Amino acid sequence: MNWLAKINFSTVVTRLGTFSSAILLLVIVVILLFCGYRLGNFYHGYQTQTLSQQQTRLDFIYKQLVEKTQRINTLEVELEVERMANIRSQQTLKSIEQEHFQVKKELAFYEKVMAPEKQANGLVIDGLNLTKSESAAHYRFQVVLVQQLLRKRYAKGYIELSIAGSLNNKPTSIALSELSTATKKDLSFSFQYFQIISGELTLPENFVPETINVAAILPKSKWQKYNRIDHSYPWLKSIENITQSPP
């Protein structure tokens, strides 16, 4: 590599001559310019292609952003509409509950005057819900108790339930204790406004139910007098989530 170090411009001019050296220098310059041009052109094309791809991607992202923004605005409008509808529904429901409570109060007043046997110190049996299960002759029941009068003290007591019908073609009344494992504690109530008592029962074979008899009993205590109310409900042949109201 020592010979390469000895080469300089003066040596080249001396050996090749002035004209040949100028031609050589011109050729080298042209080659360098051509290579630089080609390299710059290639880099420019690459940059142009990259910018085009980035622009296409940016346009796609911008389009998605516009669509998402429009979707968000639509959902916000729908949410606001739903919120306003929910507020109106709650206001309507509150109004209906107030009207229902007022009707209950009026009904309690008239029942107290016209039919005192249907309530005990404001306590009424509001309804019975009977549901047939998947098992044969197996049912679930719910008894709804309501206090129609505003009281500070709790109504405390228990319910009794029996089913009247025909067993082997003979009139029969069967107590709930013979049809269910529910205890007296399970059938007890203690509430100020309302309470639902639930349980299950299984009818014996060859028994055809006709009516369900429900009694709500308030035992005598320091805070309440003894009271008892009774209701009878017809047993429907096809029962499935049907609420039966007292006649």
Side-chain angles (χ1 to χ4, degrees):
M1 299 296 291
N2 294 330
W3 64 270
L4 185 61
K6 296 179 181 179
I7 296 175
N8 54 47
F9 184 73
S10 298
T11 304
V12 173
V13 171
T14 301
R15 291 189 177 184
L16 297 179
T18 304
F19 180 76
S20 297
S21 300
I23 295 299
L24 179 60
L25 181 60
L26 180 61
V27 170
I28 293 173
V29 171
V30 170
I31 292 173
L32 292 175
L33 289 175
F34 178 77
C35 291
Y37 171 77
R38 295 294 296 176
L39 183 62
N41 190 39
F42 173 78
Y43 185 73
H44 175 72
Y46 175 77
Q47 290 291 335
T48 302
Q49 183 181 4
T50 303
L51 288 175
S52 177
Q53 293 175 350
Q54 293 295 332
Q55 184 64 41
T56 302
R57 184 180 179 186
L58 182 61
D59 292 340
F60 177 74
I61 294 175
Y62 179 73
K63 182 180 178 181
Q64 283 190 324
L65 179 62
V66 172
E67 292 177 353
K68 296 296 183 183
T69 303
Q70 292 176 348
R71 179 59 178 166
I72 291 174
N73 293 336
T74 302
L75 291 176
E76 287 180 347
V77 172
E78 293 178 355
L79 180 62
E80 183 64 21
V81 172
E82 290 292 335
R83 189 184 67 83
M84 295 177 64
N86 186 43
I87 292 177
R88 287 196 297 267
S89 298
Q90 291 180 353
Q91 292 175 346
T92 302
L93 181 60
K94 185 177 181 180
S95 177
I96 292 175
E97 289 178 346
Q98 292 175 347
E99 293 177 1
H100 179 71
F101 179 72
Q102 186 63 31
V103 170
K104 284 283 188 180
K105 287 177 61 178
E106 295 176 359
L107 179 62
F109 173 78
Y110 288 112
E111 284 188 345
K112 188 174 182 180
V113 176
M114 305 300 296
E117 72 280 358
K118 289 188 176 182
Q119 64 169 296
N121 200 19
L123 175 68
V124 297
I125 302 175
D126 193 63
L128 170 69
N129 182 277
L130 192 64
T131 307
K132 192 178 188 309
S133 69
E134 297 295 332
S135 302
H138 186 77
Y139 297 85
R140 300 182 181 89
F141 67 87
Q142 288 184 334
V143 178
V144 182
L145 302 175
V146 176
Q147 278 206 99
Q148 293 183 331
L149 301 179
L150 293 177
R151 298 176 56 191
K152 294 183 179 180
R153 300 193 183 279
Y154 279 51
K156 297 183 179 182
Y158 59 93
I159 66 168
E160 291 181 349
L161 192 148
S162 63
I163 301 176
S166 175
L167 180 61
N168 296 323
N169 297 321
K170 294 182 179 180
T172 305
S173 179
I174 306 177
L176 180 65
S177 58
E178 302 178 32
L179 306 174
S180 172
T181 58
T183 63
K184 186 175 181 180
K185 182 179 180 181
D186 297 329
L187 303 177
S188 298
F189 58 83
S190 177
F191 66 95
Q192 189 174 6
Y193 301 107
F194 74 93
Q195 184 172 334
I196 299 176
I197 299 178
S198 304
E200 300 181 0
L201 60 89
T202 302
L203 299 180
E205 296 183 2
N206 302 323
F207 181 75
V208 180
E210 296 176 359
T211 58
I212 308 175
N213 302 311
V214 182
I217 300 170
L218 298 171
K220 183 178 180 180
S221 68
K222 181 179 179 181
W223 307 109
Q224 68 182 15
K225 297 180 180 180
Y226 173 84
N227 277 292
R228 176 189 176 105
I229 50 176
D230 297 86
H231 278 310
S232 294
Y233 302 85
W235 184 285
L236 303 182
K237 293 182 179 180
S238 177
I239 301 176
E240 187 172 358
N241 294 328
I242 298 176
T243 302
Q244 306 171 31
S245 297

